[in-house]
Amino acid sequence: MPTAETPLRDEYAAAVERVADRTLAVLRDGEGTAALADPDTVVPRPLLAAVRVLGADLFAPQLLTGAQPDDTTAALLAEARTAFPAPAPSSAEAALVIGWQDWAAGGLLARTPYGSAVPAPAPLSDPEAVGWQAWSRRMAQLSSLALPTLDGPVHDAARAHTLHLARGAVRSMLRRDPTTAVRLARWLSWARADGRPLRLEIEPVLDRIRLAGDGTSRSVLELAIAQRLLEGAPK
């Protein structure tokens, strides 16, 4: 039965799609900045929430071309992080995921006048301890870290466990979970750009996701970032 929260949830989800679509357009067209909001008007809360969700990926168009995060987007992200503090985690592992997402966004904001670096959380559990399936799901949730010029323990884990990333991507495709598949494929593209040998041909995986993906702007953005990484993004 619909509740009063349903229209609000739909509004916020639609805002995430709009922000992802605008970021994707900048990535494809090289417009420089996303111009997500008019700086002379009050930013609607759904837009701020969407900016908070996209986090580090807002700067993907700049990072993939060797540029620095732009101040306009940085100011908006800083406002979004103030309006929407990090949510209360449901578990210790979820807390790590939220912490690493904030570490990535905070680190990029620190390159602008609108933020400061966020201390790195504890490393994720090792795949040998939690199993490669659980580990790959966590890495999929951290796909926004798979960007040039970001580096840390999560990236070291991706370098060390490309086989588990490949297993996770294949498993997700077999389970018809294109969202997880494209996020793990993005990590694989990042690893290959980093010079790591892969146990999986990534181009056919990306082609399959293009044909059978969920079609959401956010997933298409993940796919576009993966493709750009394969084409040779700056280190």
Side-chain angles (χ1 to χ4, degrees):
M1 180 177 179
T3 68
E5 294 182 357
T6 301
L8 185 61
R9 187 183 303 114
D10 292 344
E11 185 178 1
Y12 277 49
V16 170
E17 284 293 280
R18 288 195 300 272
V19 172
D21 191 57
R22 182 65 188 134
T23 305
L24 178 64
V26 175
L27 178 61
R28 287 173 169 170
D29 301 334
E31 298 178 24
T33 61
L36 299 171
D38 185 341
D40 298 324
T41 62
V42 176
V43 182
R45 283 185 66 81
L47 176 58
L48 286 175
V51 166
R52 182 71 163 90
V53 169
L54 266 291
D57 273 346
L58 296 169
F59 302 113
Q62 289 80 47
L63 300 181
L64 288 163
T65 59
Q68 289 300 311
D70 67 280
D71 286 355
T72 302
T73 304
L76 187 60
L77 178 57
E79 182 180 352
R81 286 160 63 87
T82 299
F84 292 94
S90 59
S91 66
E93 286 294 311
L96 286 178
V97 169
I98 293 169
W100 280 112
Q101 290 170 339
D102 277 353
W103 172 86
L108 294 175
L109 281 178
R111 303 178 193 179
T112 76
Y114 296 97
S116 56
V118 175
L124 293 180
S125 300
D126 194 79
E128 280 66 35
V130 299
W132 64 265
Q133 296 97 328
W135 178 83
S136 64
R137 285 195 299 271
R138 290 300 184 200
M139 290 297 289
Q141 293 173 316
L142 293 174
S143 63
S144 61
L145 276 67
L147 285 170
T149 75
L150 283 177
D151 206 350
V154 175
H155 301 81
D156 290 338
R159 293 182 179 103
H161 301 294
T162 54
L163 178 58
H164 295 326
L165 292 172
R167 286 173 169 169
V170 171
R171 179 175 183 267
S172 299
M173 294 180 70
L174 292 174
R175 292 168 62 89
R176 298 182 180 179
D177 179 3
T179 300
T180 301
V182 72
R183 291 175 178 179
L184 291 173
R186 174 173 165 179
W187 270 117
L188 288 166
S189 297
W190 177 90
R192 198 172 84 175
D194 192 60
R196 304 291 153 172
L198 303 184
R199 312 290 184 90
L200 180 70
E201 290 188 39
I202 191 62
E203 288 87 354
V205 174
L206 296 180
D207 288 341
R208 178 60 182 168
I209 293 170
R210 285 190 189 93
L211 293 173
D214 60 19
T216 64
S217 294
R218 196 171 179 197
S219 289
V220 175
L221 176 61
E222 300 262 11
L223 187 62
I225 292 170
Q227 186 63 53
R228 190 64 63 86
L229 287 165
L230 288 181
E231 293 169 359
K235 301 291 185 182

